């Protein structure tokens, strides 16, 4: 082997690297654009480019000393840096959530350890004012060895952290050759078992910094707030000797507000400090992220940075920022792109953060590793509170074999042993924590340090937390796995500020509140946004608002992780997930669990989140006195400063009044206020008042008038029934024709000159319908209890399948009918069962066919409570696919379910069957619209109207639920050739049980008695 085996040495994490320091980009003069354009600094040389590359499946088979000068690499491939080699045809993609992708034998990794060798020639021009040169790698997975001009510089691991090498004595004027050898796995891989695609290579920027002989090596800026002033303290460490340092602070108007004198200071690694005060500073918060410019000037170098004045603390089990109690409206975010994988540009960061702000989030957790340093600077600028997480997760330890591992107490007892409570991994744990903290310590957006994720607990984390609290006592600390307990000893949790848990049920939350707790509760992950979901966001929001100790939560997660594999023949993008690359082990589509699709198209769960977390809410409306009561749910800004509002009054979907609310009241954060609003309410019809909130003033990333969310208030009147639906329902059949009826052993045939219907006594359903010479049904209609399982049904579907809900069959026991000239009434007694099991639903079924062809069905069903909740209950019809255009009154325009309907409002909507389909990457139930009074599907020559006086849910799709159930990818779906219309009494809720608690009882379809009536009206056009 051409390299020393540092990659399996628990006591060698870095060789030849400089000490940890804060991130900054120096220049020869003040430069204010170094967040997005750091390459503009004359002291910054970016080495991103196409590099020569050679892949080898086993490090032991790679014998070339490629790093030696004049090595002939003419036959090598080229690969872009940054990138990961799996995206360029080498090795294979692999997605695992928990399980290690290699035998768990720490610190050893497989002999068959793939590697990638890189070579890059660059030209270096020295600078007399900055003769020192430092080579920086901001991210390499998993470890790497580096040479320059044939000289070994060193080794480093910890994939998501910066490694810096002093190359002053090695770099030369003119042409230089950089050689890097990257290994897929190292001992650090045991601590990098995050839920993501496992990729390899140089995936973040590589650059050289040119610096003076004597210069600032590191600095640490802190602020201390008082009533009318703030104290700024900056501690310094220097390379070489101390150099005179000028410290100046400028406000947003570029006016000086403070200067500091650097003096000798006995602070360990920090040898000097500057302390000065700023009178009446403008404070930083996520709603008004005010930043000051800090200029650190030495004789041959200027460092330009930004600081924000803010203070975070805990009091009475509540989290306060700048003295105001706050709630984290957060999201977990991975670095993920369907084309580039973990390679994330500044533009990509800006796009994500802009969208996150658009959808009413105020916080980000960098799950589960530090992001590139520019990400935090953008969070400073755009206004996000950040939980900065160390690159540390040993979740795979929980999957190691042990007896009775399925018992939680045993599971927890064994999980911690290999790493978290193993002193052999103390150095590695400390290293990962310190690299995170030291690099990002000057970012005002970082309000909390997280030790890592899902690694159990023990001595390693106790030490890391103790160091963090000692080094930076002004920030909070977090570590979810600190909830675990051991029978062997009492853990030390004294350095953790937040009690954190993942995916708790409401019952679990209440138990914590009842336990006399001493810490605020944070849901670091909740509302698993996999596929059609999450549901119950409103319930969590209510619980958070109702309890001060609840400081909020972070939805899992921001984006779907997938590999873009081109375009399928049907024009759809092909997104691949676990197992699609032939890898093992893998965890399937568990990576497709984001609020946005891989290309950042918003999902309906994101729309739901936005409106649940709107900045204000109507608490009440007094129509008699014309007064709205609103609550300001912002933490820092007055409602009148932040938003404007408009109103609409609708009646049966028609806007009957609208206008602008001239000025919102100056409602302080967390307070109520009133708004005068007198409106005329129609005496009849379904009437709603919709209040829409818009952004009052443009921000850096959101335009003036940007939509912030809405409230919908039901208005009381004399008759709140939908008058259009009522008229359709009450219209008496008028026809000069008469009905004739014939009965055979199986079918009852009902006909006039206009229509012919065949009723199947074996199913209790209509098998054939012809109206005005046109076929209305492509296939017989049927009872419908199955839905294509959502990702959040992934556990529940096992119970559904055990009950054979997906193989249901009907059995009529008796059928009789009564016919008159104007109508035919059919009564059937029916049950629903399935092969191998007993019946689970008994149904009394009454059909009425009028002389005009309208069909009314009244269903009275009794469900056996022994069986699990139903996926849905209703009818399914296969209509001609030409019935493409849809008009409906109900909740829309986006899909909605009983626990996922806050982004929808009541209205009259038009769409197409194609447009109603939500194209989840793994096909599943989608596109339902609830609380409907009527729906109309039509083609050029045929119309089908569905109406009910009790409300219903409907789906209209070109795909059957069987097709959605059986196909693994949306690009594999084949249309049925029909418009599949599902008319439902109810759906089971959505929830977040893919990784969260079971669906709440109130959202389960467990009704033992179902009473459902609906009318079908075919018409020619």
């Amino acid at each position: 082997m051409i390299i020393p085996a540092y990659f399996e040495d628990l006591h060698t994490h870095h060789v030849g690297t400089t000490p940890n320091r804060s991130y900054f980009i120096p220049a020869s003069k003040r430069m204010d654009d170094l967040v997005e354009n750091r390459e503009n600094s004359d002291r910054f040389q970016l080495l991103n480019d196409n590099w020569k590359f050679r892949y080898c499946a086993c490090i032991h088979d790679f014998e070339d000393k490629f790093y030696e000068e004049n090595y002939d690499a003419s036959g090598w491939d080229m690969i872009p840096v940054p990138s990961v080699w799996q995206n360029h045809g080498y090795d294979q993609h692999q997605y695992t959530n928990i399980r290690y992708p290699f035998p768990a034998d720490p610190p050893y990794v497989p002999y068959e350890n793939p590697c990638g060798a890189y070579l890059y020639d660059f030209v270096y021009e020295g600078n007399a004012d900055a003769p020192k040169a430092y080579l920086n790698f901001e991210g390499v997975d998993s470890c790497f060895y580096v040479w320059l001009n044939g000289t070994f510089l060193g080794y480093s691991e910890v994939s998501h952290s910066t490694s810096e090498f002093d190359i002053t004595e090695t770099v030369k004027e003119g042409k230089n050759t950089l050689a890097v050898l990257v290994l897929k796995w190292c001992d650090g891989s045991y601590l990098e078992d995050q839920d993501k695609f496992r990729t390899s290579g140089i995936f973040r920027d590589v650059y050289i910094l040119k610096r003076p002989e004597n210069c600032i090596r590191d600095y640490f800026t802190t602020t201390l707030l008082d009533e009318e002033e703030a104290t700024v303290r900056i501690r310094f460490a220097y390379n070489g000797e101390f150099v005179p340092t000028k410290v100046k602070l400028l406000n947003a108007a570029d006016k000086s507000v403070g200067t500091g004198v650097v003096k000798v200071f006995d602070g360990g690694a920090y040898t000097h400090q500057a302390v000065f005060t700023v009178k009446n500073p403008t404070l930083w918060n996520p709603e008004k992220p005010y930043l000051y410019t800090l200029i650190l000037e030495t004789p041959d170098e200027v460092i330009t940075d930004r600081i924000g004045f803010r203070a975070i603390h805990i009091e009475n089990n509540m989290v306060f920022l700048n003295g105001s109690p706050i709630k984290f409206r957060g999201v977990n975010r991975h670095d993920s792109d369907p084309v580039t994988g973990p390679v994330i540009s500044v533009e990509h960061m800006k796009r994500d953060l802009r969208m996150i702000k658009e959808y009413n989030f105020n916080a980000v957790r960098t799950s589960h590793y530090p992001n590139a340093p520019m990400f935090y600077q953008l969070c400073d600028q755009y206004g996000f509170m950040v939980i900065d997480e160390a690159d540390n997760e040993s979740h795979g330890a929980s999957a190691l074999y042990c007896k009775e591992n399925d018992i939680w107490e045993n599971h927890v007892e064994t999980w911690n042993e290999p790493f978290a409570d193993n002193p052999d991994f103390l150095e590695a744990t400390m290293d990962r924590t310190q690299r995170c903290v030291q690099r990002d310590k000057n970012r005002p957006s970082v309000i909390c340090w997280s030790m890592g994720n899902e690694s159990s607990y023990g001595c390693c984390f106790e030490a890391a937390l103790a160091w963090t609290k000692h080094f930076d006592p002004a920030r909070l600390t977090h570590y979810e796995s600190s909830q675990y307990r051991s029978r062997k000893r009492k853990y030390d949790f004294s350095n953790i500020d937040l009690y954190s848990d993942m995916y708790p049920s409401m019952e679990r939350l209440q138990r914590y509140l009842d336990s006399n707790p001493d810490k605020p509760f944070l849901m670091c992950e909740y509302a698993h946004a996999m596929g059609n979901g999450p549901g119950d966001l409103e319930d969590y929001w209510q619980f958070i608002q109702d309890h001060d100790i609840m400081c909020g939560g972070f939805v899992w997660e921001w984006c779907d992780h997938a590999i873009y594999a081109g375009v399928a023949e049907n024009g759809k993008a092909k997104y691949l997930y676990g197992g699609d690359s032939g890898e093992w082990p893998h965890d399937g589509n568990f990576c497709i669990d984001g609020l946005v699709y891989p290309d950042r198209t918003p999902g309906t769960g994101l729309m739901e989140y936005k409106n649940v977390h709107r900045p204000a809410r109507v608490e009440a409306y007094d129509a008699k006195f014309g007064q709205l009561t609103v609550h300001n749910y912002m933490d820092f800004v007055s409602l009148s400063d932040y938003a404007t509002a408009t109103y609409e009054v609708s009646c049966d979907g028609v806007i009957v009044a609208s206008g602008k609310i001239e000025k919102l009241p100056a409602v302080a954060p967390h307070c109520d206020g009133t708004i005068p609003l007198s409106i005329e309410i129609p005496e009849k019809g379904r009437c709603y008042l919709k209040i829409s909130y818009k952004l009052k003033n443009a921000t850096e990333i959101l335009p003036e008038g940007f939509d912030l969310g809405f409230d919908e208030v039901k208005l009381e009147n004399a008759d709140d029934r939908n008058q259009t639906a009522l008229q359709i329902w009450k219209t008496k059949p008028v026809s000069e024709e008469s009905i004739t009826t014939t009965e055979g052993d199986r079918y009852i045939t009902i006909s006039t000159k206009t229509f012919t219907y065949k009723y199947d006594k074996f199913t209790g359903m209509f098998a054939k319908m012809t109206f005005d010479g046109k076929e209305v049904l492509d296939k017989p209609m049927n009872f419908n209890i199955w839905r294509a399982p959502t990702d959040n049904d992934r556990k529940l579907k096992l119970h559904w399948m055990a009950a054979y809900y997906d193989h249901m069959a009907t059995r009529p026991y008796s059928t009789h009918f009564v016919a008159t000239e104007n109508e035919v009434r059919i009564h059937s007694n029916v049950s629903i069962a399935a092969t191998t099991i007993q019946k689970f639903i008994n149904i009394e079924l009454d059909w009425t066919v009028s002389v005009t062809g309208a069909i009314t069905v009244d269903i009275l069903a009794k469900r056996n409570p022994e069986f699990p909740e139903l996926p849905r209950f209703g009818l399914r019809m296969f209509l001609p696919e030409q019935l493409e255009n849809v008009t409906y009154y109900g909740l829309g325009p986006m899909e909605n379910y009983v626990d996922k309907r806050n982004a929808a409002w009541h209205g009259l909507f038009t769409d197409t069957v194609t447009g109603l389909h939500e194209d989840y990457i793994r096909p599943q139930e989608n596109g339902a619209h609830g609380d409907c009074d009527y729906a109309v599907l039509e083609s050029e020559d045929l119309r089908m109207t569905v109406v009910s006086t009790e409300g219903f849910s409907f789906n209209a799709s070109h795909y059957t639920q069987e097709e959605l159930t059986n196909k693994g990818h949306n690009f594999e779906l084949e249309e049925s050739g029909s418009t599949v219309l599902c008319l439902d009494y109810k759906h089971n809720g959505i929830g977040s049980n893919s990784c969260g608690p079971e669906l709440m009882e109130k959202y389960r379809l467990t009704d033992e008695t179902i009473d459902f009536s609906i009318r079908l009206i075919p018409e020619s056009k």
Side-chain angles (χ1 to χ4, degrees):
M1 194 166 60
I2 63 171
I3 52 172
Y6 298 145
F7 63 93
E8 291 181 329
D9 184 349
L10 283 181
H11 303 293
T12 303
H13 307 294
H14 313 283
V15 175
T17 56
T18 63
N20 295 326
R21 64 170 177 85
S22 60
Y23 169 78
F24 56 86
I25 300 297
S28 63
K29 59 182 180 181
R30 173 184 171 183
M31 300 191 72
D32 293 333
D33 63 344
L34 296 183
V35 176
E36 299 180 33
N37 301 291
R38 58 186 182 174
E39 63 276 8
N40 290 343
S41 168
D42 56 346
R43 302 290 172 82
F44 180 93
Q45 181 175 350
L46 188 65
L47 301 185
N48 294 358
D49 201 351
N50 289 317
W51 292 26
K52 291 181 179 180
F53 180 74
R54 180 182 167 191
Y55 171 79
C56 185
C58 176
I59 179 59
H60 297 278
D61 293 336
F62 189 77
E63 299 178 349
D64 286 9
K65 295 182 179 180
F66 73 104
Y67 47 79
E68 293 182 343
E69 291 190 284
N70 302 315
Y71 175 83
D72 182 8
S74 57
W76 284 28
D77 299 332
M78 302 296 290
I79 196 170
V81 169
S83 70
V84 290
W85 65 59
Q86 287 85 357
N87 282 1
H88 294 273
Y90 307 98
D91 199 1
Q92 65 177 174
H93 289 287
Q94 182 166 24
Y95 164 66
T96 69
N97 172 22
I98 297 174
R99 293 173 291 177
Y100 287 122
F102 45 76
D105 184 21
Y108 305 110
V109 294
Y111 274 110
E112 301 291 330
N113 189 0
C115 64
Y118 297 77
L119 284 170
Y120 182 62
D121 292 337
F122 66 93
V123 174
Y124 181 81
E125 295 181 4
N127 185 317
D129 293 330
K132 302 282 286 186
Y134 296 89
L135 175 65
N136 282 259
F137 293 82
E138 287 189 334
V140 182
D141 197 328
S142 67
C143 68
F144 66 105
Y145 299 74
V146 58
W147 298 260
L148 182 61
N149 299 325
T151 299
F152 181 61
L153 296 179
Y155 163 88
S156 195
E157 53 190 53
V158 187
S159 298
H160 300 85
S161 68
T162 302
S163 297
E164 184 176 64
F165 301 88
D166 185 344
I167 60 171
T168 305
E169 301 302 320
T170 313
V171 72
K172 57 188 180 183
E173 197 77 13
K175 179 183 174 182
N176 292 262
T177 299
L178 182 62
V180 182
L181 184 66
V182 179
L183 274 61
K184 182 174 183 177
W185 294 314
C186 68
D187 52 17
S189 300
Y190 287 98
L191 304 184
E192 294 179 8
D193 191 40
Q194 293 97 344
D195 176 11
K196 64 183 180 67
F197 278 94
R198 311 307 170 97
T199 53
S200 316
I202 305 172
F203 67 94
R204 288 182 182 164
D205 291 353
V206 183
Y207 55 87
I208 296 172
L209 296 180
K210 301 175 183 179
R211 308 204 62 196
E213 188 75 35
N214 300 306
C215 61
I216 297 170
R217 186 189 69 78
D218 186 25
Y219 61 94
F220 185 10
T221 302
T222 57
T223 59
L224 179 65
L225 305 186
D226 205 342
E227 290 186 1
E228 296 182 353
E229 66 179 21
T231 301
V232 180
R233 180 189 185 201
I234 309 173
R235 286 166 279 179
F236 295 92
Y238 291 86
N239 282 328
E241 298 177 357
F242 168 76
V243 287
T245 305
K246 297 179 182 178
V247 177
K248 182 185 294 186
L249 190 67
L250 308 173
N251 64 16
D254 212 36
K255 302 296 184 182
S256 177
V257 295
T259 59
V261 177
V262 177
K263 298 180 179 179
V264 174
F265 166 70
D266 184 11
Y270 298 108
T271 58
H272 294 73
Q273 72 171 1
V275 179
F276 58 96
T277 59
V278 176
K279 297 292 184 182
N280 299 310
T282 301
L283 304 185
W284 182 97
N285 65 64
E287 294 161 18
K288 286 188 174 181
Y290 191 97
L291 293 172
Y292 291 80
T293 299
L294 175 67
I295 300 174
L296 306 176
E297 184 176 353
T298 56
D300 294 307
E301 183 178 83
V302 178
I303 297 171
T304 308
D305 200 354
R306 298 182 300 189
I307 70 170
F309 290 96
R310 56 103 185 97
I312 190 160
H313 78 283
I314 292 172
E315 185 177 335
N316 297 325
N317 283 342
M318 298 168 61
V319 178
F320 290 81
L321 182 66
N322 303 337
S324 177
I326 60 170
K327 304 285 188 181
F328 293 108
R329 305 191 302 273
V331 67
N332 287 276
R333 179 189 171 276
H334 266 289
D335 279 343
S336 179
D337 184 277
V339 175
T340 61
V343 182
I344 304 299
S345 66
V346 169
E347 285 305 312
H348 181 118
M349 297 175 198
K350 291 172 63 178
R351 178 184 60 173
D352 271 5
L353 289 173
R354 182 180 65 250
M355 289 187 68
I356 293 170
K357 182 67 76 170
E358 287 174 352
Y359 286 88
N360 291 335
F361 294 91
N362 68 2
V364 177
R365 177 180 176 225
T366 64
S367 51
H368 298 294
Y369 41 77
N371 285 195
M374 298 83 76
F375 181 83
Y376 302 90
Q377 293 176 312
L378 292 171
C379 289
D380 297 343
Q381 186 173 329
Y382 296 159
F384 290 100
M385 296 179 287
V386 177
I387 294 182
D388 196 3
E389 193 148 89
D391 194 355
N392 197 344
E393 178 170 343
S394 55
H395 204 170
S398 71
L400 302 183
Y401 179 81
C402 70
K403 293 180 180 179
E404 298 182 325
N405 196 31
D406 57 331
I407 299 174
W408 181 250
E409 289 75 12
N410 294 334
H411 180 83
V412 173
E413 285 292 335
T414 57
W415 185 355
N416 66 342
E417 293 176 355
F419 307 108
D421 207 25
N422 182 351
D424 290 343
F425 281 85
L426 179 60
E427 290 179 34
T429 301
M430 292 292 289
D431 177 52
R432 289 167 182 271
T433 299
Q434 291 170 351
R435 286 191 145 229
C436 173
V437 172
Q438 290 281 14
R439 193 197 68 175
D440 300 332
K441 59 181 175 283
N442 291 327
R443 302 278 53 86
S445 57
V446 176
I447 51 82
C448 182
W449 301 115
S450 177
M451 300 299 102
N453 186 64
E454 293 178 316
S455 300
S456 194
Y457 197 69
C459 62
C460 296
F461 288 104
E462 290 171 334
L465 283 158
W467 177 87
T468 303
K469 249 333 184 187
H470 175 75
F471 179 80
D472 187 14
R475 286 185 174 96
L476 305 183
T477 53
H478 162 270
Y479 181 58
E480 175 268 341
S481 289
S482 64
Q483 65 172 291
Y484 302 133
R485 303 295 186 264
S486 173
R487 292 189 290 257
K488 299 170 187 174
R489 71 178 179 90
K490 185 177 181 180
Y491 288 142
D492 178 9
F493 303 116
S494 60
N495 290 301
I496 298 179
D497 293 311
L498 302 172
Y499 183 90
S500 180
D501 199 357
M502 294 181 177
Y503 311 106
S505 64
M506 295 296 175
E507 294 77 14
R508 202 154 120 205
L509 292 175
Q510 189 61 52
R511 285 196 298 271
Y512 181 78
L513 267 59
D514 295 339
S515 67
N516 192 28
D518 61 352
K519 294 178 180 13
F521 193 109
L522 176 71
M523 295 184 292
C524 65
E525 294 177 23
Y526 81 113
H528 202 253
M530 190 176 181
N532 188 347
D536 54 39
L537 281 169
E538 175 72 10
D539 297 270
Y540 280 101
W541 180 90
Q542 291 284 358
F543 197 93
I544 290 169
Q545 297 302 324
D546 289 346
H547 300 93
D548 290 341
I549 197 172
M550 297 293 302
C551 63
F554 291 74
V555 172
W556 186 267
E557 67 173 308
W558 173 241
C559 70
D560 288 341
H561 304 228
I563 307 299
Y564 178 70
V567 178
E569 290 184 4
N570 58 11
K572 292 185 178 181
K574 295 173 65 176
Y575 289 116
L576 307 183
Y577 49 71
D580 288 338
S581 300
E583 78 271 29
W584 187 88
H586 68 82
D587 284 299
N589 73 310
F590 206 67
C591 54
I592 307 295
D593 59 354
L595 292 165
V596 297
Y597 291 93
D599 65 354
R600 270 45 181 185
T601 298
T604 57
L606 181 61
M607 300 172 193
E608 179 81 358
Y609 184 94
K610 176 176 182 173
N611 208 48
V612 167
H613 293 83
R614 55 195 180 272
R617 288 196 174 204
V618 173
E619 300 294 309
Y621 177 60
D622 189 327
K624 181 179 179 180
F625 295 99
Q627 182 171 280
L628 279 169
T629 301
V630 296
H631 185 89
N632 180 4
Y633 282 97
M634 303 295 283
D635 291 324
F636 299 97
V637 298
S638 166
L639 192 57
S640 61
D641 292 337
Y642 187 69
T644 62
T646 58
Y647 72 91
E648 290 179 348
V649 178
S650 67
C651 181
D652 295 340
V654 177
I655 306 300
V656 296
S658 63
K660 181 179 180 180
I661 296 174
E662 287 305 318
K663 185 177 181 182
L664 291 176
V667 183
H670 313 140
C671 294
D672 289 346
T674 58
I675 302 171
L677 182 63
S678 296
I679 56 176
E680 293 285 338
I681 303 174
E683 291 185 1
K684 296 181 179 181
R686 293 189 72 176
C687 296
Y688 291 91
L689 170 63
K690 185 182 179 188
I691 305 294
S692 298
Y693 307 100
K694 309 289 183 182
L695 186 66
K696 184 174 183 179
N697 299 308
T699 67
E700 184 171 354
I701 53 176
L702 298 183
E704 178 185 339
F706 185 80
D707 175 61
L708 299 171
F710 68 90
D711 270 300
E712 184 181 65
V713 181
K714 190 176 189 307
L715 299 172
E716 302 298 326
N717 58 2
D719 183 354
D720 65 356
R721 295 175 295 177
N722 187 310
Q723 299 301 297
T724 305
L726 191 62
Q727 183 177 1
I728 297 171
W729 186 268
K730 285 188 171 182
T731 299
K732 295 184 178 180
V734 177
S735 176
E736 296 179 357
E737 302 179 18
S738 59
I739 294 178
T740 61
T741 307
T742 60
E743 182 178 16
D745 288 343
R746 178 166 186 171
Y747 297 105
I748 299 172
T749 303
I750 306 166
S751 59
T752 68
K753 291 180 180 179
T754 303
F755 68 83
T756 299
Y757 300 160
K758 290 183 72 174
Y759 181 81
D760 189 345
K761 294 187 290 185
F762 288 9
T763 64
M765 292 281 154
F766 285 91
K768 188 176 179 63
M769 294 174 62
T770 304
F771 191 92
D772 213 7
K774 307 176 193 65
E775 293 294 338
V776 177
L777 294 179
D778 290 347
K779 294 169 62 176
M781 67 171 67
N782 55 266
F783 279 111
N784 197 23
I785 65 168
W786 181 250
R787 74 181 186 195
T790 68
D791 287 315
N792 284 307
D793 294 332
R794 67 199 300 262
K795 298 174 184 176
L796 182 56
K797 75 177 181 181
L798 302 178
H799 298 285
W800 289 347
M801 290 177 171
Y804 291 94
Y805 286 167
D806 54 337
H807 291 89
M808 58 148 284
T810 56
R811 167 62 191 259
Y813 300 103
S814 63
T815 297
H816 63 267
F817 71 93
V818 176
T820 68
E821 287 188 355
N822 292 323
E823 66 181 24
V824 175
R825 293 178 178 271
I826 304 171
H827 177 84
S828 293
N829 181 273
V830 179
S831 72
I832 297 178
T835 304
T836 80
I837 62 166
Q838 73 272 33
K839 63 183 180 182
F840 48 86
I841 301 178
N842 285 311
I843 302 172
E844 296 292 330
L845 193 58
D846 288 288
W847 297 91
T848 302
V849 181
S850 80
V851 69
T852 60
I855 301 174
T856 304
V857 60
D858 298 299
I859 301 170
L860 182 62
K862 301 288 186 180
R863 187 186 70 87
N864 184 346
E866 181 71 20
F867 280 71
E869 58 262 46
L870 296 172
R872 68 186 334 149
F873 182 85
L875 306 177
R876 179 167 66 161
M877 302 173 67
F878 296 85
L879 305 175
E881 64 179 340
Q882 290 78 19
L883 271 74
E884 172 70 7
N885 297 312
V886 184
T887 302
Y888 64 96
Y889 180 89
L891 283 168
M894 63 285 299
E895 67 180 7
N896 51 86
Y897 297 81
V898 64
D899 61 339
K900 184 191 172 192
R901 61 197 317 176
N902 289 277
W905 63 90
H906 290 86
L908 185 62
F909 301 98
T910 60
D911 209 324
T912 63
V913 173
T914 301
L916 289 173
H917 176 74
E918 183 70 19
D919 204 28
Y920 293 107
I921 290 175
R922 189 195 71 79
Q924 57 198 277
E925 160 63 32
N926 70 88
H929 292 271
D931 204 17
C932 290
D933 294 326
Y934 65 90
V936 181
L937 287 80
E938 52 191 331
S939 63
E940 292 182 355
D941 59 356
L942 184 64
R943 177 186 298 120
M944 174 63 77
T945 300
V946 182
V947 64
S948 174
T949 59
E950 302 164 357
F952 63 94
S953 174
F954 85 95
N955 301 61
S957 176
H958 293 303
Y959 306 108
T960 66
Q961 54 248 52
E962 290 83 2
E963 177 72 2
L964 295 171
T965 299
N966 294 329
K967 293 296 173 65
H969 300 82
N970 59 342
F971 60 81
E972 299 169 339
L973 288 173
E974 296 180 36
E975 295 186 355
S976 65
S978 300
T979 290
V980 183
L981 178 62
C982 299
L983 304 170
D984 293 304
Y985 161 75
K986 284 182 183 178
H987 260 274
N988 207 51
I990 296 297
S992 60
N993 192 218
S994 52
C995 194
E998 293 181 352
L999 185 68
M1000 294 182 193
E1001 289 277 357
K1002 63 182 178 179
Y1003 297 130
R1004 299 181 190 179
L1005 183 41
T1006 55
D1007 302 25
E1008 293 185 29
T1009 299
I1010 294 172
D1011 193 349
F1012 182 44
S1013 298
I1014 203 161
R1015 182 171 294 168
L1016 313 173
I1017 308 172
E1019 299 173 272
S1020 286
K1021 295 175 62 178

